[in-house]
Amino acid sequence: MQPARRRSVVDVALQGNAVEVDAVAARAKALNRLRVGDMIFRALTRTAAIGVLVILGGVIISLIDGSLPAFRAFGLNFLFEERWNPVTERFGALAPIYGTLVTSFIAMLIAVPIGLLIAVFLTELCPMWLRRPIGIAIELLAGIPSIIYGIWGLFVFAPFLQETLQPFLIATFGNIPVLSTLFAGPPYGIGMLTAGLILAIMVLPFVTSISRDVFEAVPPVLKEAAYGVGCTTWEVVRYVVVPYTRVGVIGGVMLGLGRALGETMAVTFVIGNAHKVSASLLAPGTTISATIANEFTEAVGDLYTSSLIALGLILFVITFIVLAIARYMLLRIERRIG
Amino acid sequence: MDSRLYAARRRRNGIMLGLSLAATLLGLGWLVVILVVLLWEGFSGLSLAVFTEMTPPPGADGGLLNPIIGSLILTVLAVLIGTPIGILAGTYMAEYGRYDRLSSVVRFINDILLSAPSIVVGLFIYEIMVAPLGHFSGLAGAVALAVIVIPVVVRTTEDMLILVPDQLREAAVSIGTPRAFVIAKVCYRAAKAGMITGVLLAIARISGETAPLLFTALNNQFWSTNLNAPMASLPVVIFQFALSPYQDWQKLAWTGALIITFTVLALSITARALSATRKPS
């Protein structure tokens, strides 16, 4: 079918005005067919593009619809209530929200400085021939599915922390007033600190690759000028590269934060799933996504299910805001550089 | 000049650059550690039985045949559903409406969907497909994965089509080719490698996705290719087996993790090799 139609296109295009009447009619018909085909294709692509918006709209509407019973039953108290009791059907989202924020905060606290330093290494220090392989290796780290991090965290990382880092933290900070509450309790292995550390490993590649991309976009003239007046490599990074790319770096960090907030499987394995707000980072806790993953299929009763969907809505709203800010920041630096 | 100031600056430079080297070694170290542990734990359980036998009850021998087949079915279906929609949407944004308002809105929303939490996608599909029908199904799982495929494909399709030089389009249009033919015969051909890369990256992304399957496709202990019934998948079985107290289940979970990781790594390396010349962001 294709060759025949292609020939007709060429014929139509090459034939001049001096054609006979039925040829003209045939030409008009062929042209019309092509125009209709073109319109249909355009409409199809447009529908698909609108479809992307429909998906987002669908997500929002279905989450709101599903969470209505919970919000009707608990009101805004849902956000500030710690209790999570399936038996008495009293639900509050405070513990999961707290856990989500704390684990993500730990993750960013570790991943951002390390990620930036790796980006500095890749753009300023690394010999040319090594840049691509290391860059690819870091990006492969980003491609490893989160469940792999989860199983590794549960069987390898958590026991390792239980025997090394956690006793050390308890022993070191046990007598210092504020820090002793942060690192109180027995070393379970699993808990919020472990989840935060695993999230840090997961987020690291995102922060690294975006920071590297924006660092690379700094005009060489700026750096050369700084080197020319005698700056050290670090001073060039600190006073030229970072200020110039600040918006982009923040965008990359926010993107990583979006990932950390919504990450499910890696956290579910090691968080301990306890609906408790505890000051100690070593205590088991829960996050929004871990709660949903753990309890959704076992949830009986509309209110229980609805409360879990309400958690999903909260998570979606938080990540949407964070990701929107990230994209906005990255767009701004793209415009400035591009 | 003050030589102490010089020494201090040089020292600070040395420290910071040393730290950045250490950070890189640390980052790469994790990759090595994770892969070594996976190989160590996974390989010892790898045998022919893993690919030929069903998931066992606790304490018995068995393999991962039904979750492997389930994952394949779900992935293929998700790609079949998601890729055409993604390519069409990307085509609109790059070809028909490159500068219009709809495209910039879709671009922004798509970028957000690209990194939206996948568990929310699972909830969404549960609400529209599982709850109304009253039962979990493989089809719902495939649709959930398709929702994750679409943004990846949209993004790469658009990026790749924009890279196609306008002269090619103009040349085609100048001999009277309709727009749809220009796109299908010229632009798609020029951007083919990049678009295939996008699909491969999307497959890599969904082959390890667990969260959206937990309450859509659920899981199935038995052989089932019925799309209307719950369907086993490798990630969900790993999740279930790893958290179980049984030694042989945990062993199978490690083996499954090994299979997934190497599938994903192979896919992303292939994708990278395909687009070696141009890197989509």
Side-chain angles (χ1 to χ4, degrees), chain A residues 146-233:
Chain A
S146 59
I147 188 155
I148 309 297
Y149 289 95
I151 186 171
W152 178 77
L154 177 68
F155 288 119
V156 182
F157 198 49
F160 171 75
L161 287 180
Q162 187 173 19
E163 279 165 23
T164 54
L165 183 68
Q166 294 187 346
F168 168 77
L169 287 174
I170 296 170
T172 316
F173 299 115
N175 298 319
I176 306 170
V178 180
L179 292 174
S180 68
T181 40
L182 272 185
F183 301 109
Y188 289 110
I190 55 173
M192 291 204 284
L193 182 67
T194 313
L197 289 175
I198 290 203
L199 280 180
I201 300 171
M202 291 201 57
V203 170
L204 185 63
F206 293 98
V207 178
T208 306
S209 67
I210 291 182
S211 318
R212 186 200 54 191
D213 288 350
V214 294
F215 282 179
E216 270 175 355
V218 175
V221 188
L222 288 182
K223 292 199 274 187
E224 283 156 12
Y227 281 121
V229 297
C231 287
T232 62
T233 306

Side-chain angles (χ1 to χ4, degrees), chain A residues 57-313:
Chain A
V59 170
I60 295 173
I61 292 171
S62 69
L63 288 181
I64 291 179
D65 179 59
S67 59
L68 269 183
F71 280 115
R72 227 176 255 141
F74 307 119
L76 276 183
N77 265 339
F78 184 71
L79 296 176
F80 309 107
E81 175 90 44
E82 187 185 339
R83 191 169 19 181
W84 184 270
N85 192 335
V87 181
T88 58
E89 296 217 306
R90 294 289 306 171
F91 300 103
L94 189 64
I97 293 176
Y98 172 77
T100 303
L101 296 180
V102 169
T103 50
S104 299
F105 181 73
I106 298 173
M108 300 319 285
L109 206 61
I110 295 163
V112 171
I114 295 183
L116 288 178
L117 283 172
I118 297 179
V120 169
F121 177 82
L122 283 176
T123 51
E124 306 294 331
L125 270 186
C126 187
M128 275 297 171
W129 58 273
L130 248 179
R131 287 189 186 181
R132 228 180 111 71
I134 294 186
I136 289 176
I138 301 265
E139 277 162 33
L140 287 182
L141 203 60
I144 295 180
S146 59
I147 188 155
I148 309 297
Y149 289 95
I151 186 171
W152 178 77
L154 177 68
F155 288 119
V156 182
F157 198 49
F160 171 75
L161 287 180
Q162 187 173 19
E163 279 165 23
T164 54
L165 183 68
Q166 294 187 346
F168 168 77
L169 287 174
I170 296 170
T172 316
F173 299 115
N175 298 319
I176 306 170
V178 180
L179 292 174
S180 68
T181 40
L182 272 185
F183 301 109
Y188 289 110
I190 55 173
M192 291 204 284
L193 182 67
T194 313
L197 289 175
I198 290 203
L199 280 180
I201 300 171
M202 291 201 57
V203 170
L204 185 63
F206 293 98
V207 178
T208 306
S209 67
I210 291 182
S211 318
R212 186 200 54 191
D213 288 350
V214 294
F215 282 179
E216 270 175 355
V218 175
V221 188
L222 288 182
K223 292 199 274 187
E224 283 156 12
Y227 281 121
V229 297
C231 287
T232 62
T233 306
W234 170 247
E235 283 163 351
V236 171
V237 170
R238 174 71 187 76
Y239 299 108
V240 177
V241 175
V242 171
Y244 189 83
T245 55
R246 193 185 295 124
V247 186
V249 169
I250 296 174
V253 169
M254 298 293 262
L255 207 61
L257 179 60
R259 287 271 166 172
L261 288 168
E263 180 44 52
T264 310
M265 299 322 290
V267 174
T268 308
F269 275 99
V270 295
I271 190 81
N273 204 33
H275 281 274
K276 249 186 1 221
V277 177
S278 47
S280 171
L281 298 179
L282 303 182
T286 191
T287 67
I288 294 178
S289 48
T291 305
I292 302 172
N294 266 321
E295 301 180 21
F296 198 82
T297 40
E298 282 146 30
V300 275
D302 288 343
L303 201 55
Y304 196 178
T305 310
S306 170
S307 299
L308 287 167
I309 294 175
L311 279 182
L313 179 66

Side-chain angles (χ1 to χ4, degrees), chain B residues 141-155:
Chain B
V143 173
L145 292 181
V147 171
I148 294 166
V149 167
I150 291 172
V152 182
V153 176
V154 169
R155 184 72 198 265

Side-chain angles (χ1 to χ4, degrees), chain A residues 5 13 38 41 45-46 58 62 117 121 139 141 143 147-148 152 155 230 234-235 265 289 296-297 309 327, chain B residues 9 13 16 20-21 24 30-31 88 92 96 111 119 123-124 127 175 179-181 235 239 242 261 264 272:
Chain A
R5 200 190 281 177
D38 203 23
F41 189 66
T45 60
R46 203 181 150 86
S62 69
L117 283 172
F121 177 82
E139 277 162 33
L141 203 60
I147 188 155
I148 309 297
W152 178 77
F155 288 119
W234 170 247
E235 283 163 351
M265 299 322 290
S289 48
F296 198 82
T297 40
I309 294 175
R327 288 299 170 190
Chain B
R9 285 174 58 199
N13 186 46
M16 293 318 289
S20 72
L21 177 65
T24 310
W30 284 124
L31 183 66
L88 285 174
Y92 180 81
Y96 287 111
D111 278 348
I119 193 151
L123 285 178
F124 165 54
E127 279 285 292
I175 59 164
R179 199 65 200 270
F181 280 77
F239 178 55
T261 308
V264 170
R272 233 159 263 284

